[in-house]
Amino acid sequence: MSYFSSGAWWWPYMFILVAGFAATDIWRFLGVYLGGKLSEDSDLLILVRTMATALVAAVIGNLIVFPGGALAHTSFGLRIAAAALGFVAYLVSGKRMVVGIATAEFLLLAGLYLNF
């Protein structure tokens, strides 16, 4: 079966749903099943958390250095300042993510509004 195997109007949507499920959700279910049997302090789970954190940091770094969309209209200094102040707000607030994200977003929006 391929994307072009059927001419029905619904076929591309069904293909995307099935292919998307096969590529992602099966691994998520397997992770939940196997992860439930691991201790939270196990070396394997610490490695998985470390890798997930590193991937998120890489995505954030990529967005800061090579922005797209509306973020591309901000200066590099503004993006660095927003990330740094968002991190400081996160630490000062007792490691509440919402506070850090809101602070960084507010600074970015203010910078866009003031044309920095």
Side-chain angles (χ1 to χ4, degrees):
M1 264 190 167
S2 74
Y3 178 77
F4 298 106
S5 66
S6 176
W9 67 268
W10 53 266
W11 175 246
Y13 302 107
M14 182 61 72
F15 186 83
I16 290 169
L17 283 172
V18 171
F21 177 82
T24 60
D25 288 349
I26 291 173
W27 297 108
R28 290 178 186 174
F29 294 140
L30 187 61
V32 168
Y33 175 73
L34 294 176
K37 297 177 188 246
L38 289 174
S39 167
E40 288 188 30
D41 298 328
S42 71
D43 290 338
L44 182 60
L45 203 55
I46 290 171
L47 175 68
V48 168
R49 276 195 306 249
T50 303
M51 296 300 288
T53 303
L55 286 171
V56 169
V59 168
I60 292 170
N62 196 20
L63 286 172
I64 291 172
V65 177
F66 305 111
L71 198 57
H73 299 293
T74 62
S75 68
F76 181 70
L78 178 63
R79 294 189 303 266
I80 291 290
L85 289 176
F87 183 65
V88 168
Y90 163 76
L91 292 176
V92 168
S93 69
K95 296 187 176 181
R96 288 189 292 178
M97 259 193 297
V98 173
V99 174
I101 292 169
T103 301
E105 283 186 21
F106 177 76
L107 188 59
L108 282 172
L109 289 172
L112 279 172
Y113 180 74
L114 298 172
N115 293 323
F116 280 116

